[in-house]
Amino acid sequence: MLQLDPQSDQDARPSGFKALGFKGTIERRLTEIADLYQADTIPWVVGYSGGKDSTATLQLVWLALSRLPEAARTKPVYVISTDTLVENPVVAVWVRRSLERLGEAAVAARLPIEAHQLKPDLTDTFWVNLIGRGYPAPRPKFRWCTERLKINPSNQFISNLVKANGEAIVVLGTRKAESQARARSMERFEGRRVRERLSPNGKLPNSYVYTPVEDWTSDDVWLFLMQVKNPWGFDNKDLLTMYQGASADGECPLVIDASTPSCGDSRFGCWVCTLVEKDKSMQAMIQNDAEKEWMTPLLNLRNELDVRNDETGKRDDRHLRDFRRMNGSIMLHNDRIVHGPYTQTARERWLRMVLDAQRQARERGPDAMRSLELITIRELREIRRLWVVEKHEIEDNLPRIYTEVTGEAYPDGRLDDTSPFGPEEIQLLRDLCDDDTLHFELTRELLDVERQHRSMARRAGLFKALEQALRRGSYDDANEAEDLALRRRAEFDRSRKDLESVPLLARLEQEGEEPGDPLAGAA
C-alpha cells in the first residue's frame, strides 16, 4: 500500500551526494557495481517492486552493465517482482507493463537481464486463507500474510538459484533513511560483511545482500530518477505522478526540510492491508483523481475487513468468528475464549463483497481494468474445495454465490457427482435440526465424513474423524464452551498443586518406582 510515513528521514540524514556531488556519486556507484559484477561468477537477483527505490537500484545496475563490453556481460541478472495477487490494481498494472518493457529492452540492448514475476502458491494466497480457511484479517499479532504472499515466493526463487549455482547475490533498494529499525538492521549486518559492500543474508544461507542506495535519502532517489532517463523506456515522471496521486495533499516535493513529509517515503503494497488503520494511499488516489473513483468498492471492502468496535475503536471481529479453533479445540486468554476462524456466514459474505467489488471495478474502471481479477478462478476452485471437502459445507454454495453476484454461470460443474445432498436434502436437514446452527453443522459433518469414507476399501481414519466431529460439536453455544474450559483449567490447576504438594519420594513410592532409578518403568 502507498502509505505516507512522516517519521522517515526525520533523523535528518545527510544527502548521499554531499561528499562527491551528484555526478561524482553516480560515477563511483556505477564503477562499484561493474567491479562487483565482474569479480566472480555468482548470479545476481535484483528485487523490483515498481517503486522509487527499486527502480533507482535497477537503473544503476542496468547502466553499469551497459558500460561493460558485451563479452564481459557473462553473468545473469534476474529481476524478480512478487505479485501478491492483492496489489493495488493501479500499481499492479504499472509493474506488469514495466517488466514486459524491461524484458524487451534487455534483449534489444544485449544485456543478460531477465524479468520474472513471482506469485504465491495457490494454498498461500490471501483469499484462499481468509475466505477459504477462515483466517481473520491480518493484524500485528497475527501477521500471517507477509511470509505467505511476499517472502516465500522470492526466497524460493533465490533458494533454487543457490542450489543450482552454490551462491547468489541479492541486490535490494533498501535504505537506512527509511526507518530507524531498517537502519539498525542494515548496520548490524554491515559488521559481518564478507566482502566490501556485500552483507550476509540473515535468512538464506550462501546468499549475500548488496544495497547500492543504502545511504541515499528519499530526495536523493527522486533527484536521480528525474535527472537520469529510465533506460528501459518507462518514464520516471509517470512514477512521480503516481506517487503524487497517492499523497493526501496531492504534492510531492523533491527538496524538503526535516519537518516536511515527502511522498518519497510512500509505500506500494496490498490494497487489503489491515495492518494499518487506514489505506491513505488509496484514499488519496480516489480523492485526487476522479478517474480513480472506480476503486471506491475496493476501499470499502478493505475497511469492512478491518472490523472495529464502534465504542472503543479497537479491532473486534469476534462476532464474525467461530468460538472454536480450526481443529475444534477451545483456547482461553485472560479467562475469555480466543475465537478461531471466520464462520461460514462471514466467509460467504466476504466472497460476495470481493466478487461485487471486482464486478464494479470492471464496469466503472478504465479499459486496463476490464479483465481485472481481484480473485482468480483458481482461488475460487480451491476455496470451494476447502469449503466442501475440509469444512464439510456440503451445500456447495460458492457456484450459486458467484452466479448471483456476477450474473454469469460458474465455469465448473458439480464438485462431486456422487454427492446425495442437494438443496432439498439440505433444507430438510435444517428443518430437522430446528434451525439450531451447531446441531445442523454437527449432523452435516457426520453425514459427510461417513460419505467420504464409504467407498474406501479400508476406512482408515473414519473413527478419528467422527470423534473429532463429535468433540467439535459437543457444545450448545460459546458460553457453555467457555464455562467448561474454565472448569477444566481450574481442575488441572488444582491437580497440579496437589501433585506438587506430595514429596518426590512419596510420589515414587506410590507409583511403584525405586528412587534413583531414572529408567524405572521405561520399558
Side-chain angles (χ1 to χ4, degrees):
M1 177 182 346
L2 196 67
Q3 178 192 349
L4 294 180
D5 181 7
Q7 298 301 318
S8 295
D9 282 0
Q10 277 198 358
D11 55 356
R13 286 182 177 270
S15 168
F17 304 145
K18 184 176 181 180
L20 300 176
F22 179 79
K23 291 185 177 180
T25 301
I26 301 304
E27 182 63 30
R28 172 174 287 190
R29 191 65 73 240
L30 294 179
T31 300
E32 174 185 276
I33 293 172
D35 290 344
L36 283 172
Y37 176 82
Q38 298 178 90
D40 49 50
T41 60
I42 303 175
W44 282 19
V45 178
V46 181
Y48 178 69
S49 68
K52 69 182 193 316
D53 296 334
S54 63
T55 299
T57 299
L58 182 54
Q59 279 194 202
L60 287 170
V61 173
W62 186 295
L63 295 172
L65 296 187
S66 299
R67 297 169 57 167
L68 296 175
E70 188 173 342
R73 305 171 192 165
T74 58
K75 194 164 63 174
V77 174
Y78 303 99
V79 178
I80 63 172
S81 178
T82 302
D83 179 6
T84 63
L85 301 181
V86 283
E87 300 291 324
N88 182 305
V90 173
V91 180
V93 170
W94 168 275
V95 173
R96 184 176 69 249
R97 290 177 175 175
S98 179
L99 289 173
E100 292 171 355
R101 184 78 62 82
L102 186 150
E104 296 169 356
V107 171
R110 298 181 180 275
L111 293 175
I113 297 177
E114 299 179 14
H116 296 263
Q117 189 164 48
L118 312 178
K119 295 180 180 180
D121 289 341
L122 178 62
T123 56
D124 283 344
T125 69
F126 185 84
W127 296 123
V128 165
N129 281 284
L130 188 137
I131 297 178
R133 294 188 173 89
Y135 282 18
R139 61 202 65 194
K141 292 184 179 180
F142 187 43
R143 191 170 180 163
W144 55 264
C145 53
T146 306
E147 187 168 349
R148 287 177 170 85
L149 303 184
K150 289 181 174 290
I151 297 176
N152 288 347
S154 57
N155 281 2
Q156 186 61 52
F157 184 94
I158 297 169
S159 295
N160 291 338
L161 201 61
V162 169
K163 289 178 183 177
N165 298 275
E167 294 177 300
I169 294 174
V170 183
V171 186
L172 301 176
T174 50
R175 297 180 299 106
K176 295 177 182 177
E178 290 181 69
S179 68
Q180 292 182 357
R182 176 59 58 84
R184 286 194 298 268
S185 175
M186 295 178 71
E187 288 165 359
R188 184 173 68 254
F189 283 107
E190 278 182 22
R192 297 162 52 190
R193 283 181 170 171
V194 294
R195 280 167 44 190
E196 185 179 3
R197 303 288 292 176
L198 293 185
S199 300
N201 189 322
K203 294 187 176 180
L204 292 175
N206 296 334
S207 63
Y208 311 95
V209 176
Y210 172 46
T211 50
V213 298
E214 64 183 16
D215 293 321
W216 290 14
T217 66
S218 294
D219 292 334
D220 291 339
V221 174
W222 281 120
L223 180 61
F224 171 74
L225 292 176
M226 293 302 103
Q227 294 294 322
V228 180
K229 184 179 178 180
N230 185 301
W232 59 89
F234 241 51
D235 195 341
N236 288 335
K237 291 182 179 178
D238 292 338
L239 178 63
L240 176 64
T241 300
M242 188 162 59
Y243 269 82
Q244 183 181 25
S247 172
D249 56 10
E251 297 180 359
C252 192
L254 293 183
V255 180
I256 58 172
D257 58 31
S259 64
T260 306
S262 167
C263 70
D265 291 307
S266 304
R267 296 185 182 277
F268 294 121
C270 306
W271 66 269
V272 292
C273 184
T274 51
L275 294 170
V276 293
E277 289 192 10
K278 294 182 179 180
D279 186 344
K280 296 179 181 179
S281 64
M282 187 173 286
Q283 286 180 338
M285 284 184 174
I286 296 171
Q287 169 189 316
N288 296 336
D289 188 350
E291 294 183 357
K292 290 187 173 64
E293 289 185 357
W294 60 269
M295 298 172 69
T296 301
L298 279 68
L299 182 61
N300 291 340
L301 173 53
R302 182 264 163 210
N303 292 337
E304 287 284 341
L305 287 170
D306 191 20
V307 183
R308 294 181 180 271
N309 186 292
D310 292 337
E311 295 181 0
T312 65
K314 295 181 179 181
R315 175 75 66 83
D316 186 2
D317 57 1
R318 288 173 297 174
H319 61 289
L320 300 177
R321 295 163 59 186
D322 198 320
F323 63 87
R324 298 158 294 190
R325 309 295 285 176
M326 200 80 75
N327 61 4
S329 63
I330 302 298
M331 184 176 182
L332 294 174
H333 178 68
N334 292 334
D335 295 336
R336 295 182 66 188
I337 281 183
V338 178
H339 283 61
Y342 286 131
T343 63
Q344 179 179 357
T345 301
R347 286 183 278 109
E348 291 182 355
R349 176 172 176 264
W350 295 136
L351 176 61
R352 286 182 180 276
M353 293 190 70
V354 175
L355 291 172
D356 189 54
Q358 177 176 277
R359 178 187 61 79
Q360 293 187 59
R362 289 177 175 181
E363 293 175 354
R364 303 176 185 178
D367 292 341
M369 299 299 166
R370 291 291 180 262
S371 58
L372 173 67
E373 284 188 314
L374 297 183
I375 185 169
T376 66
I377 290 296
R378 291 181 67 241
E379 289 177 291
L380 290 172
R381 287 171 177 150
E382 178 61 11
I383 290 169
R384 186 187 187 191
R385 187 195 68 81
L386 287 168
W387 284 5
V388 175
V389 177
E390 296 193 12
K391 293 184 177 294
H392 306 286
E393 294 166 2
I394 53 180
E395 306 94 312
D396 193 12
N397 285 335
L398 189 144
R400 176 179 57 81
I401 293 172
Y402 181 90
T403 299
E404 290 176 356
V405 177
T406 66
E408 304 172 0
Y410 185 71
D412 297 340
R414 293 190 65 177
L415 194 64
D416 185 356
D417 290 332
T418 66
S419 175
F421 304 107
E424 293 182 359
E425 289 78 13
I426 293 296
Q427 187 56 51
L428 177 61
L429 182 59
R430 287 187 185 277
D431 293 341
L432 290 172
C433 294
D434 197 24
D435 290 329
D436 184 331
T437 301
L438 293 179
H439 187 194
F440 167 74
E441 290 176 351
L442 171 61
T443 308
R444 178 184 64 182
E445 182 172 352
L446 291 172
L447 288 170
D448 192 48
V449 166
E450 193 281 330
R451 184 192 65 82
Q452 289 183 11
H453 287 78
R454 182 184 304 167
S455 60
M456 295 182 180
R458 292 179 65 253
R459 297 190 178 188
L462 172 60
F463 292 117
K464 183 178 180 180
L466 292 173
E467 182 182 359
Q468 289 178 339
L470 289 169
R471 183 181 295 114
R472 184 165 34 245
S474 62
Y475 310 103
D476 288 335
D477 53 37
N479 291 331
E480 182 194 10
E482 185 172 275
D483 291 341
L484 180 59
L486 288 170
R487 289 201 305 271
R488 284 176 174 173
R489 189 179 67 181
E491 291 172 1
F492 175 80
D493 290 342
R494 283 195 298 271
S495 299
R496 184 177 60 185
K497 289 180 180 179
D498 291 343
L499 184 62
E500 291 174 350
S501 66
V502 179
L504 175 61
L505 181 60
R507 291 209 309 270
L508 291 173
E509 290 175 347
Q510 290 173 5
E511 295 169 4
E513 298 180 8
E514 292 295 330
D517 182 4
L519 296 180

